[in-house]
Amino acid sequence: MELLRQKILNEGILPGTDVLKIDSFLNHQIDVSLINECAKAWYSLFKDENITKVMTVEASGIGLACMTAQYFNVPVLFAKKTRSTNISDEYYSAKVVSFTHGQTYRIIASKKYIKENDKILIIDDFLSNGSALKALIALAKAAGADVVGAGIAIEKAFMDGGNDVRRMGYRVESLAKISSIKANGEISFG
Amino acid sequence: MELLRQKILNEGILPGTDVLKIDSFLNHQIDVSLINECAKAWYSLFKDENITKVMTVEASGIGLACMTAQYFNVPVLFAKKTRSTNISDEYYSAKVVSFTHGQTYRIIASKKYIKENDKILIIDDFLSNGSALKALIALAKAAGADVVGAGIAIEKAFMDGGNDVRRMGYRVESLAKISSIKANGEISFG
């Protein structure tokens, strides 16, 4: 999506570095008209799939997920992050190894809100090593639900996450695919 | 708002208890058409106030804030929670004592995204002791911004938070005000 690529080029890089920062428009401040355009793009890609629920993980996926769910007219379910390994029987849980922070945590979702007949669209802001996305898929699969695919705002396509998940047989639709970031901050899209 | 009160009556109470649970429609699963109605209600209450930014705190305020910001056509800024007391100079920070979890944490917001000429509407799902709301006000005031008011989905009006903040001179618009919850789970609205 051209609008998102432009936003990344204009605001996404810390000058003189290769650090990608999306906190001016996605994960601290949120450009709501931009995420609405992302939502419309995913709706157009997945509108024939009879989606019954949009899943994401707190926190920065929630805005994108809600805007997207508006078009499908379905609820959102956001998985919660926890450091606890003591998960009650009421929840499905899966482990995430965060690429950004190098930390391990679990995400959980109540068994009440994912059902076998659900057709789930996963939405998230960022895809790097794919750990969060694989964990969301694991929660949905634990309930026997069908994961129709994933809508990602920004994929670091020079990392393995996206292609891992595609090789697992899932449809992953990333609106901006970054193929490289040079040491001077120059970004290429693929 | 009648729709929200009905939702609380139908889904908000754990049978036989006085525990208010909003995870089927606000803070785990999100009923997106319901939060869209909340957003419209706040827009109608604050539409003449020249709002420039909607502020909230992660995680469950984000969906409400994004839906609301759509109508005002302004960005959202969501404050982040941190356990660290070691806050960098780039951030404003304020302490929150959570009523639900009895924990203390800090919320932070980048100085880049709140400016002196901002007119801020704060949005959140829940108001109990008011600690999160007061902390959000503190972040905005630290930047010299004008806090126009707060839109709250559910206020526990039998607690002090809402009236504390009103006494501080802020407009607080709660869409469902719970005046009492009996031990058997019977809810009254005020």
Side-chain angles (χ1 to χ4, degrees):
Chain A
M1 198 174 75
E2 185 54 29
L3 188 66
L4 181 57
R5 285 192 289 268
Q6 279 305 322
K7 198 83 177 178
I8 294 167
L9 290 175
N10 294 339
E11 301 182 22
I13 289 287
L14 235 47
T17 75
D18 61 349
V19 177
L20 188 61
K21 295 277 280 183
I22 55 173
D23 71 351
S24 70
F25 57 98
L26 276 184
N27 67 10
H28 182 26
Q29 185 166 248
I30 300 174
D31 180 332
V32 176
S33 54
L34 174 72
I35 68 171
N36 189 36
E37 293 303 318
C38 295
K40 285 187 209 166
W42 291 316
Y43 179 68
S44 130
L45 289 161
F46 289 101
K47 66 180 185 306
D48 299 324
E49 300 287 349
N50 302 311
I51 304 296
T52 63
K53 194 157 286 190
V54 171
M55 275 184 74
T56 189
V57 57
E58 62 179 2
S60 37
I62 297 174
L64 288 160
C66 286
M67 302 296 277
T68 304
Q70 275 192 294
Y71 293 100
F72 290 98
N73 201 19
V74 299
V76 165
L77 180 64
F78 68 88
K80 301 195 175 195
K81 294 176 181 174
T82 177
R83 292 293 172 93
S84 174
T85 50
N86 200 354
I87 310 291
S88 115
D89 279 353
E90 296 165 45
Y91 293 92
Y92 300 114
S93 90
K95 197 169 83 170
V96 178
V97 181
S98 161
F99 170 71
T100 319
H101 304 290
Q103 293 165 333
T104 297
Y105 56 90
R106 297 191 78 80
I107 62 171
I108 59 173
S110 169
K111 292 182 180 176
K112 279 187 290 191
Y113 306 129
I114 319 177
K115 296 297 173 200
E116 206 176 341
N117 54 359
D118 271 324
K119 294 174 78 70
I120 295 196
L121 173 63
I122 295 172
I123 293 290
D124 212 353
D125 57 337
F126 224 75
L127 173 56
S128 304
N129 68 0
S131 188
L133 178 53
K134 290 174 204 167
L136 283 165
I137 292 171
L139 298 182
K141 298 310 288 179
D146 182 17
V147 176
V148 170
I152 302 293
I154 303 172
E155 177 178 343
K156 283 186 172 171
F158 54 90
M159 294 186 64
D160 292 331
N163 289 331
D164 279 0
V165 176
R166 290 182 185 98
R167 272 192 296 265
M168 288 160 64
Y170 296 102
R171 181 175 172 197
V172 179
E173 298 283 359
S174 301
L175 303 181
K177 276 185 173 176
I178 297 176
S179 52
S180 73
I181 306 178
K182 292 195 182 147
N184 66 357
E186 196 182 310
I187 290 187
S188 304
F189 294 101
Chain B
M1 198 174 74
E2 185 54 27
L3 188 66
L4 181 58
R5 284 191 291 266
Q6 278 306 322
K7 198 84 178 177
I8 294 167
L9 291 174
N10 294 338
E11 302 181 23
I13 288 286
L14 234 48
T17 74
D18 61 349
V19 177
L20 189 61
K21 295 277 281 183
I22 55 173
D23 71 352
S24 70
F25 56 98
L26 277 183
N27 66 11
H28 182 27
Q29 185 167 248
I30 300 175
D31 180 334
V32 176
S33 54
L34 175 72
I35 68 171
N36 188 36
E37 294 303 317
C38 295
K40 285 187 208 166
W42 290 317
Y43 179 68
S44 132
L45 288 161
F46 289 103
K47 66 180 184 306
D48 298 325
E49 300 287 349
N50 303 309
I51 304 295
T52 62
K53 193 157 286 190
V54 171
M55 275 184 75
T56 189
V57 58
E58 62 180 3
S60 39
I62 296 175
L64 288 161
C66 286
M67 301 297 276
T68 305
Q70 275 193 292
Y71 293 100
F72 290 99
N73 199 20
V74 300
V76 164
L77 179 65
F78 68 87
K80 301 196 174 194
K81 294 177 181 173
T82 177
R83 292 292 171 91
S84 173
T85 51
N86 199 356
I87 310 289
S88 111
D89 279 354
E90 296 164 44
Y91 293 91
Y92 299 114
S93 90
K95 198 169 82 172
V96 177
V97 181
S98 161
F99 170 71
T100 319
H101 304 289
Q103 293 165 333
T104 298
Y105 55 90
R106 300 191 75 81
I107 62 171
I108 60 174
S110 168
K111 292 183 181 176
K112 279 188 289 192
Y113 306 128
I114 320 176
K115 297 298 175 197
E116 205 175 343
N117 54 0
D118 270 325
K119 293 174 77 72
I120 294 194
L121 173 63
I122 295 172
I123 294 289
D124 213 353
D125 57 337
F126 224 74
L127 173 56
S128 303
N129 69 0
S131 188
L133 178 52
K134 289 174 203 166
L136 283 164
I137 292 171
L139 298 183
K141 299 309 288 180
D146 182 17
V147 175
V148 170
I152 302 294
I154 304 173
E155 177 178 345
K156 284 187 171 170
F158 54 90
M159 293 187 63
D160 292 331
N163 288 331
D164 279 359
V165 175
R166 292 181 183 97
R167 274 192 295 266
M168 288 161 65
Y170 296 102
R171 181 175 172 195
V172 179
E173 298 283 359
S174 301
L175 302 181
K177 276 184 172 176
I178 297 177
S179 53
S180 74
I181 305 178
K182 290 194 185 151
N184 65 359
E186 196 182 311
I187 290 187
S188 305
F189 294 101

